[in-house]
Every structure is written in structure tokens, then in C-alpha cells.
Amino acid sequence: MVFKHRKDLLGLAELNRAEIESIINTAVPMKDILTRDIKKVPALRGKVVCTVFYENSTRTRTSFELAGKYLSADTVNLAVSTSSVQKGESLKDTIKTIEVMGTDVMVMRHSMSGAPHYVARNTKMRVINAGDGFHAHPTQGLLDMYSIREKKGTLDGLKVVILGDIQHSRVARSNIAGLSKFGCEVRVVGPSTLMPADIENMGAKRFYNIEEALDGADVINVLRLQLERQKKGLFPSVPEYAENFGLNRKRLSLAKKDVLVLHPGPMNRGVEVASDVADSAFSVINEQVTNGVAIRMALLYLMIGGASE
Amino acid sequence: MALVEKKKIMDENGVRRAITRIAHEIIERNQGVNDLAIIGIRRRGGPLAERLAVKIGEIEGVKIPVGILDITLYRDDLTALGPNPLVHRTEVGFDLQNKTVVLVDDVLFTGRTVRAALDALADLGRSRCIQLAVLVDRGHRELPIKADFVGKNVPTSKKESISVKVTEIDGIDEVVIEEKT
């Protein structure tokens, strides 16, 4: 009943543990549908899902679109770069246009933190935040948690390391927000220039030494190094980053024997993660993508599957 | 609007005898159990399917494949049920191709659940044929659907409802007619 009294999904911080569990539980039967020859159920017949991405995306947008289609919703994608946004249409007017065409759920990504919150306040549509600035990426957080629970059987009390550019990562923030509700020890590690000063206020433990952070880890979530940050002088060079913070075999051996390696994609192989680690038996990187579709199916179903209030 | 128990129509023995008789009828109708599979509709169809499969297995000396179908995503009243009813897993661990499937539910009423289950089954594969077994048929069909095997026909009024309890879920086997007050 997560979305009985909640219109939108904007972040994980505002959800409680039971709500997160019910979303993950619903994703389990949804994943079964993906394994069948006929990947379609009629649950969302006649519902409309619109994806509006002001930033580039491969997996998030595609997986929302497929999630909607597998549930028989009609899905449409507003390609911002070829839309009237380019003629100067305001965000508010664009949203209204999408709403009055009969859209039930709008899935939105924007480079400005808080943009989906603004939209949510100004529309009757349900809004899912598919990433806003450095702030939140709740569906990535949920699919990471689902992937971890699927392999470990539980989330409770796990030691989860988030490795890389924490400062610019909405994935890190959503992971911390979600995992801390399950009593996980969330450790963040990366170069000090890419570490937000206030990250411990979110409930994470800060490390600057990767070896210390990886000691006894159950899960390592490797973040993409946003290469454009180098131009801003936030780290000296890509090879040096790989040397100091790249996840290789040797570092992996410091974690628990059954450690899981996650990465939200797209990967810079040989930079934040060594290729042989990304392709190893510890890696669930491809499965994360499948689980992402299942989580998004669960969300769409929970939001618009039943009666509207 | 409370429901009051009006009459008990089956107890533990009654349920057991009905299952035994239906098991025999299924074997007789299909002239054996070749390619037979039993699939129960969640929730109470699940345990009933399991019992039927065990009983048929005992009689014929073979293991009958049994599965559980969750039809939530196929319901035609999804939007009338209130916000998002819980979805559970469908557990059918065998290929339906060329199988004779006996679909099992506790109560046959409007026929809408069975309609949804037929759609869900079709999406899982093309079975050779599908038959329907129910513990209780209470009438009031809204769709052209008829059971092949019935534990008990119970004429009811629309004000009444049938409550089926099974040990696996409710701790007791019984069928009771209740009335709205």
C-alpha cells in the first residue's frame, strides 16, 4: 500500500522500511514475467507512462519503457532534444501538455536537483524521479537493494562499500538513504576532493583509504567516474585514479569471500573497475539491469495498478 | 457489514471425501494420468491442487506435477479492488505444452477469476486442454464458464457468501455459508 497515500516517488529518504520492502517484494513476481516466452501481463491496460529525460540515459529510460510495456501500459518517450523544449517552452508548460494528453505517470530525469519535486507539486500525474542532479535516483537505489537481497537473502546488517565519486553521485545518496533503513553499515570511500563534507550526516561512514574501507565488505557498489570531472581539476589523472581507487582483483580479496560487486553503469572498464572484476562471478552488474526492469514494473503497478483514490 | 455464519456445509471429512471423489473423476475422465498437471489458483486453490495431485498420485502410483497460479495481474476488476492488491509469484515449474491441465479453485462464483486464470495459463504456454475443478459451485455466473469437477453444488443467494477454510492456510478444513447482516 506504499502509494495509497503517496502520489509520487521522489526519493528513498521519505520511504520507510516497510514501504521499501513491499516494493522489493512486488519486484520478485515481476522478474518471473521477464523469464517467460510471453513477457506481458494485462495489469496496466489503458494506462499511459511518459518518460521525460532532460539528461542522457540508456538503461533507466529503456527499462522504464519496457517495464510499462510488459505490464500492457502505453509508453511514450519525450525526446527532449527534439521537442518544443528547444523552442524555449518552460518546464511547467511542457508538463501540463503531457498531463492533458492523458498521461498517468511521468518518469523524469533532470540535471537540476529538485526538478521532479517542482513538477510533482504542479501536476495531477504521478511522478517518478529517474535522477535529479546530485540529489537522488531512487529506482537505482531500489534495484541495487533488490539485487543485494536476492543474492544475500537479507539486507539487514550488511557492510556495503560505495566506492568512487561520492560528491556528484545521486546513486550513492539513494543507496545510503535506503540501506541505512536496514541497519547496513554503509561505508563511502573515494578521493577527498570527491567526498561531500556532510556525508556522515546521511548515516554513512567516511573512508579515504580504500583498503580499510574494503576490509570485510559484503557488497561493493562501484560508481562511474564521471570523466568530465577531471577537467575541473578534482583529480589529477584517470590512470592515477585507477591506481588509487580502481577496484582490482587484489583489492577485491580484502572483502568477504562471497562479496558482491555492483555498478550502476555505464562502466569505464579499467578505470573505476578492472575488466576481470566486472566480468567475474562476484559481479551482478548485468543482473542489476534485469532487476531494474522488475523494480520499475513493481513501481508502476503499485502506483497505477489499482483503483485511483 | 458483518458476516454471520449461517450453515456449515462441509467439515474435514466432507472436504476429504470431495477431494477423493474428484481425484477419481479426473483419472476416469482422462482415461489415466498421461501428461496430467494440476494447477491451483492462489490462494486456497493452491493447497487444494496439492492435495488432488497427491491423491491422484496415490491412486495411480505416479507423481503428478503441480503448480500455483497468481492471477492478480490478470483481474478485470483490478481498478475496483482498491489500491494495488498484492502480487505473488506464479509457480509453475514445468512446460505446459501438450499437458492436460486441471485448474483448481475453492469456489466458483461469477467465473471472473477463472476467466483471468485462463488468460494467465495461456500466457504460460499452449496446453492440450484445460479442465476446471472446484470445491464449491455456488452459482451466479456472469461469464459462460462451467466446472468439469465439482465437490458440492451449493445454491446461494447474492446476500450470502461462501467461506472455504483449508488447514494449510487457516488451520482447519471447512466450508461455511455466511450471510451479510
Side-chain angles (χ1 to χ4, degrees):
Chain A
M1 296 289 167
V2 197
F3 295 101
K4 193 175 176 190
H5 302 293
R6 188 185 292 288
K7 177 164 101 43
D8 312 294
L9 177 70
L10 301 174
L12 294 188
E14 62 247 37
L15 299 187
N16 62 36
R17 180 189 166 119
E19 289 177 305
I20 291 173
E21 278 176 335
S22 88
I23 295 168
I24 296 177
N25 291 344
T26 305
V28 177
M30 296 300 178
K31 190 175 180 180
D32 292 341
I33 296 169
L34 298 178
T35 66
R36 294 181 195 152
D37 286 343
I38 300 174
K39 300 184 232 329
K40 206 169 199 64
V41 295
L44 298 188
R45 237 156 33 99
K47 305 286 182 174
V48 180
V49 178
C50 184
T51 59
V52 184
F53 277 56
Y54 285 81
E55 266 186 2
N56 297 337
S57 164
T58 304
R59 62 215 89 217
T60 306
R61 195 185 60 71
T62 312
S63 72
F64 266 111
E65 202 168 329
L66 283 174
K69 287 183 197 292
Y70 292 155
L71 293 171
S72 298
D74 290 297
T75 59
V76 5
N77 166 44
L78 179 83
V80 170
S81 60
T82 56
S83 72
S84 288
V85 172
Q86 302 306 322
K87 299 178 189 166
E89 186 173 56
S90 75
L91 180 55
K92 202 170 176 180
D93 287 339
T94 303
I95 300 324
K96 195 71 199 170
T97 306
I98 293 166
E99 178 186 306
V100 297
M101 286 191 207
T103 304
D104 296 289
V105 181
M106 176 168 148
V107 178
M108 180 186 187
R109 170 169 291 185
H110 203 284
S111 57
M112 300 291 283
S113 295
H117 304 66
Y118 169 80
V119 170
R121 283 195 301 272
N122 285 288
T123 178
K124 293 198 291 269
M125 293 182 285
R126 289 181 182 265
V127 177
I128 299 179
N129 179 2
D132 63 326
F134 308 148
H135 171 244
H137 190 353
T139 61
Q140 180 73 43
L142 288 168
L143 79 89
D144 288 348
M145 293 168 79
Y146 174 32
S147 302
I148 296 167
R149 198 187 78 172
E150 188 178 46
K151 298 287 178 195
K152 297 283 180 195
T154 178
L155 288 165
D156 284 285
L158 295 178
K159 292 187 174 65
V160 181
V161 177
I162 305 175
L163 165 62
D165 177 358
I166 310 296
Q167 174 75 51
H168 302 100
S169 177
R170 53 194 175 212
V171 176
R173 287 183 182 80
S174 280
N175 265 271
I176 297 168
L179 290 166
S180 57
K181 294 184 177 168
F182 290 79
C184 293
E185 181 184 319
V186 186
R187 304 169 175 177
V188 291
V189 58
S192 55
T193 48
L194 298 174
M195 184 68 73
D198 58 349
I199 197 72
E200 297 207 312
N201 294 344
M202 284 192 74
K205 247 169 115 175
R206 179 169 43 185
F207 289 77
Y208 294 111
N209 178 305
I210 182 169
E211 278 77 19
E212 278 173 31
L214 293 181
D215 182 45
D218 294 291
V219 178
I220 308 169
N221 199 344
V222 187
L223 302 174
R224 181 175 75 90
L225 184 66
Q226 301 173 40
L227 298 172
E228 60 275 19
R229 306 287 169 212
Q230 196 204 334
K231 294 187 197 112
K232 295 188 177 159
L234 291 171
F235 59 93
S237 75
V238 171
E240 193 175 320
Y241 181 88
E243 176 71 26
N244 290 328
F245 292 100
L247 183 64
N248 54 31
R249 279 278 178 183
K250 188 158 163 259
R251 286 182 174 140
L252 193 63
S253 68
L254 299 169
K256 287 208 181 127
K257 283 194 168 55
D258 59 348
V259 68
L260 292 183
V261 176
L262 280 73
H263 190 299
M267 278 187 280
N268 300 299
R269 285 173 179 268
V271 182
E272 68 267 10
V273 61
S275 223
D276 63 338
V277 171
D279 298 331
S280 71
F282 302 103
S283 162
V284 288
I285 295 170
N286 287 325
E287 204 146 348
Q288 279 176 274
V289 180
T290 309
N291 291 343
V293 179
I295 277 286
R296 287 161 184 133
M297 289 170 77
L299 282 169
L300 292 176
Y301 169 73
L302 290 170
M303 281 187 155
I304 54 172
S308 41
E309 287 300 289
Chain B
M1 193 168 53
L3 287 172
V4 213
E5 180 172 331
K6 202 174 167 190
K7 192 182 172 199
K8 187 188 256 193
I9 47 177
M10 278 170 131
D11 60 6
E12 193 188 334
N13 284 325
V15 172
R16 182 175 48 77
R17 288 183 196 117
I19 297 275
T20 305
R21 178 172 51 75
I22 292 173
H24 282 284
E25 284 176 6
I26 290 171
I27 299 164
E28 193 179 8
R29 167 82 64 91
N30 294 294
Q31 296 167 356
V33 292
N34 271 343
D35 297 319
L36 187 71
I38 315 278
I39 296 181
I41 301 175
R42 259 191 217 285
R43 264 179 98 195
R44 287 174 181 75
L48 294 175
E50 186 68 46
R51 290 189 209 176
L52 265 177
V54 168
K55 182 58 76 180
I56 295 170
E58 280 171 18
I59 299 165
E60 292 290 295
V62 289
K63 196 165 162 30
I64 307 294
V66 52
I68 303 177
L69 201 60
D70 187 275
I71 57 133
T72 314
L73 297 169
Y74 289 85
R75 299 182 69 125
D76 63 0
D77 57 350
L78 204 49
T79 52
L81 279 179
N84 36 81
L86 280 183
V87 188
H88 294 279
R89 298 182 83 165
T90 283
E91 293 165 30
V92 177
F94 46 86
D95 191 358
L96 291 186
Q97 186 76 30
N98 294 325
K99 285 272 191 315
T100 294
V101 175
V102 178
L103 189 64
V104 181
D105 204 1
D106 54 354
V107 180
L108 179 57
F109 180 29
T110 60
R112 288 177 191 270
T113 300
V114 174
R115 198 279 315 158
L118 291 173
D119 279 354
L121 272 183
D123 280 356
L124 292 179
R126 190 178 189 280
S127 39
R128 194 178 64 78
C129 73
I130 301 174
Q131 298 164 356
L132 176 63
V134 296
L135 189 60
V136 175
D137 182 350
R138 63 165 293 192
H140 303 286
R141 217 74 77 238
E142 292 169 6
L143 295 170
I145 281 169
K146 184 172 172 292
D148 298 275
F149 312 101
V150 180
K152 201 178 184 76
N153 280 297
V154 183
T156 55
S157 81
K158 282 244 181 180
K159 273 171 64 187
E160 293 167 329
S161 91
I162 298 278
S163 159
V164 172
K165 291 190 173 131
V166 293
T167 314
E168 294 88 331
I169 295 170
D170 311 290
I172 185 176
D173 275 351
E174 66 171 19
V175 181
V176 170
I177 300 185
E178 296 171 332
E179 191 166 34
K180 290 170 190 162
T181 54

